């Protein structure tokens, strides 16, 4: 029996649904990636059906995920390095925020 979207949303509101939320987010991202093909979806379905991830598979996945995370760090670092920030006397200066002091004279 398939759950409706409303039933899934309700399940995600449960206080102990943190792993469910993490898996749904990861699955949503994976399904949006054209490289996450039929074979990989079939493997996920098999793991869920069996209900256990063999230790060797878990270790391989952990290693591969570490590489995946590192690729994001490298992309972020390359992006930061490629941004050019002009310096020197010809550098454009942005407007400085104006500070307004607000105070009241309390009559004693």
């Amino acid at each position: 029996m398939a759950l409706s979207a409303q039933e899934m949303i309700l399940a995600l509101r449960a206080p102990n649904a943190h792993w469910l939320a993490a898996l749904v987010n990861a699955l949503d991202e994976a399904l949006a990636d054209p490289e996450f093909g039929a074979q990989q979806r079939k493997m996920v379905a098999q793991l869920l059906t069996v209900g256990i991830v063999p230790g060797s598979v878990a270790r391989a996945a952990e290693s591969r995920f570490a590489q995946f995370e590192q690729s994001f760090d490298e992309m972020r670092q390359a992006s930061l390095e490629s941004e050019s920030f002009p310096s020197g006397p010809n550098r454009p200066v942005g407007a400085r925020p104006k500070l307004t002091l607000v105070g009241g004279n309390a009559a004693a």
Side-chain angles (χ1 to χ4, degrees):
M1 168 166 87
L3 296 174
S4 70
Q6 292 299 329
E7 290 170 313
M8 290 182 211
I9 291 169
L10 186 59
L12 286 164
R13 289 183 181 166
N16 63 346
H18 46 276
W19 280 113
L20 178 60
L23 289 169
V24 169
N25 278 324
L27 184 59
D28 183 48
E29 291 287 327
L31 291 171
D33 186 341
E35 292 183 9
F36 184 69
Q39 285 300 108
Q40 291 175 341
R41 289 191 301 272
K42 184 177 176 181
M43 182 177 159
V44 169
Q46 178 182 334
L47 289 169
L48 288 171
T49 299
V50 172
I52 189 167
V53 177
S56 58
V57 174
R59 287 188 298 277
E62 186 176 322
S63 174
R64 183 61 185 99
F65 189 70
Q67 293 172 9
F68 185 56
E69 283 183 312
Q70 184 178 9
S71 71
F72 281 107
D73 288 340
E74 290 168 359
M75 284 190 296
R76 184 180 53 80
Q77 188 64 27
S79 174
L80 291 174
E81 290 172 359
S82 69
E83 292 178 358
S84 59
F85 295 101
S87 61
N90 297 328
R91 176 176 63 96
V93 177
R96 294 181 187 255
K98 295 181 181 180
L99 299 177
T100 303
L101 296 177
V102 178
N105 291 334

